[in-house]
Amino acid sequence: MWVAGCFAGIMTQKNIDYLFSLGQLGLIGKPGSENGGEAWILTHQPDGTPHWTASTERMMFSQIAFIDYGYFYDADNVWYYVVPGPFRIKIPLEYIEAHLDDDDREFKTLERIERRLLKYIFEDYAKNDSKLQSVVASYDLTCEKLLENLIKEEFSIEHMFDRYKRVYRYFDDWVVVKTKNYRITNFLIRPKQENQENRIETIDW
């Protein structure tokens, strides 16, 4: 994580161009490390293929399976950490860096974010969305009861995806975490657009 943070702090357009010029990387290290002189874990590892490009954020994880996370530099000049689960949860990278555990791992923080997201959806957001309430009611549940069912599961969002597919499919598959001063202030979620070809990117939500 700290290596990515190093890049986040100095990511000018010049450095972005440099990073992409290296092609696909098996590991991101320190700037210039592809020339040697660093431990392997701090060394860029180009795999010999050019980087691929896409026109939408939803293509981010389309070229390789079993990704644990992604780094996304968006048009607002902010680095994001993206969780590639059923919901692509887009979190400012600086928030993740500020909430690592004693082993410099982010996974406990991600668990807290996912549970807080579910509480937001079924407690706050659902109050003003009668259509969502109807979708939840199709399972003979209230939003409160559905939240209770999900929170007790170890992988809550995956459980919603597997067990309550109509609820999951009601939403766009991307979620944005809004933060200020290293605190979560809000979540941006949207019902899925009918016309997916003209889907609005999260930068414009």
Side-chain angles (χ1 to χ4, degrees), residues 115-130:
R115 291 176 181 274
R116 188 165 170 180
L117 168 61
L118 289 173
K119 291 191 70 172
Y120 171 78
I121 291 172
F122 296 110
E123 289 183 349
D124 300 322
Y125 181 89
K127 289 178 184 177
N128 301 310
D129 192 327
S130 58

Side-chain angles (χ1 to χ4, degrees), residues 27-77:
L27 182 69
I28 295 178
K30 288 185 175 181
S33 59
E34 70 276 10
N35 299 314
E38 298 289 347
W40 73 268
I41 199 169
L42 303 179
T43 300
H44 293 319
Q45 294 183 6
D47 70 6
T49 62
H51 68 80
W52 63 274
T53 60
S55 58
T56 72
E57 62 193 0
R58 298 181 80 181
M59 297 295 290
M60 182 174 180
F61 300 109
S62 66
Q63 299 296 308
I64 188 170
F66 310 115
I67 298 297
D68 292 323
Y69 54 85
Y71 298 121
F72 184 25
Y73 188 71
D74 211 342
D76 57 357
N77 300 319

